[in-house]
Amino acid sequence: LLTLDGATPDLDAVEVRTTGTLRHSPVYDTDLRLGTLLVMGAYEMGTTFSPLSNARASITVLDVPPADPEQYLAGIIVTGKFQAAGRYKRAWVRLSEDALAASTVLKLASPATGWRRGDRLFLQGGHFPDEDWLAGTETAVVKSVAADGLLVELEAPLRFDHRGLRQYRCAVGNLTRNVAIRSANPRGNRGHVMFTGPASVELQGVELFGLGRTTAAALHPQGNHIGRYPLHLHHLNDWPA
């Protein structure tokens, strides 16, 4: 058993062998920074029964090109047991009133449980069925949350109107999690995550950011391999009891 209790230097690769366990500390903020992570044993960033509540934990895939022809490297490949669970946070709520441009306050229909100062939000644009559903969408940052969770103050004024009626009020999603897997440079060489074969996977409250290399362009063995996705559950078998 090896417990990570801080940020690592940039590493080429880490292999967790079948009898090994690599665990992120539940007390200290941690960041494993590497080109490739291969897990054949066990990897733990909190569990569904004991999520990470008091620390931040992340895996950062570095901006390095995959060195193998099939481009499995430069990412995370798991055939063992992988557990990751962060602090509980309500994923999204609806507005209780329209939020208009220049406002810095959101009034919510349900409590924003677990939301905190600094969290990054996504606001749905107010639109009608025949309009572009992406029009008027925007992101915002939380400045404060009321004790009852029904009012959120923003760091900066909104740029667009977010209008709706009754059950069709605009939705507000929270994009921030304290457990994350990310690419160091989403505009460069992006990482990917693959769970395959006998892998056992538990993910709860985990942020995946800037990952995935496969695009909608024509597949090509030198530049656009199939299956290098942000999250790929590939032909998983049942984990033995």
Side-chain angles (χ1 to χ4, degrees):
L1 170 64
L2 177 64
T3 300
L4 183 65
D5 61 3
T8 69
D10 292 353
L11 306 172
D12 288 335
V14 170
E15 176 183 334
V16 183
R17 297 187 177 180
T18 54
T19 57
T21 299
L22 180 56
R23 176 179 297 161
H24 287 247
S25 168
V27 178
Y28 302 106
D29 291 348
T30 56
D31 183 21
L32 180 61
R33 301 177 55 82
L34 41 60
T36 301
L37 173 63
L38 175 60
V39 179
M40 296 180 289
Y43 195 98
E44 185 180 306
M45 305 169 74
T47 70
T48 53
F49 294 104
S50 183
L52 288 183
S53 299
N54 301 311
R56 294 181 178 274
S58 59
I59 302 172
T60 301
V61 180
L62 302 176
D63 183 6
V64 293
D68 60 316
E70 296 297 322
Q71 297 190 7
Y72 285 105
L73 302 181
I76 299 171
I77 304 168
V78 179
T79 59
K81 188 171 186 178
F82 191 98
Q83 296 172 288
R87 180 188 307 119
Y88 175 76
K89 182 173 294 190
R90 189 162 192 161
W92 67 278
V93 296
R94 290 198 183 276
L95 295 172
S96 63
E97 298 181 12
D98 291 341
L100 304 182
S103 174
T104 57
V105 172
L106 304 178
K107 296 181 179 180
L108 307 178
S110 306
T113 307
W115 293 20
R116 298 185 175 196
R117 179 183 178 91
D119 283 1
R120 190 164 57 98
L121 306 181
F122 175 86
L123 283 84
Q124 177 188 15
H127 64 280
F128 295 94
D130 59 344
E131 296 178 339
D132 180 2
W133 71 274
L134 284 175
T137 59
E138 62 181 308
T139 58
V141 177
V142 174
K143 183 177 181 180
S144 66
V145 181
D148 62 4
L150 296 176
L151 188 144
V152 172
E153 184 180 5
L154 304 176
E155 292 278 4
L158 295 172
R159 295 182 295 130
F160 304 112
D161 290 343
H162 301 272
R163 300 178 183 271
L165 296 173
R166 297 182 294 279
Q167 71 267 34
Y168 301 109
R169 295 278 187 194
C170 290
V172 184
N174 192 309
L175 302 175
T176 300
R177 299 294 183 272
N178 68 309
V179 174
I181 303 171
R182 61 172 66 96
S183 293
N185 180 14
R187 295 181 180 275
N189 293 288
R190 299 162 67 100
H192 74 105
V193 180
M194 177 185 288
F195 302 101
T196 186
S200 170
V201 188
E202 295 178 7
L203 299 175
Q204 177 177 286
V206 178
E207 175 183 343
L208 303 176
F209 181 78
L211 297 165
R213 291 198 294 271
T214 303
T215 72
L219 298 175
H220 192 277
Q222 276 74 48
N224 192 29
H225 278 273
I226 192 172
R228 308 300 177 257
Y229 307 135
L231 181 61
H232 188 187
L233 307 178
H234 182 71
H235 296 180
L236 291 179
N237 304 329
D238 290 332
W239 185 259

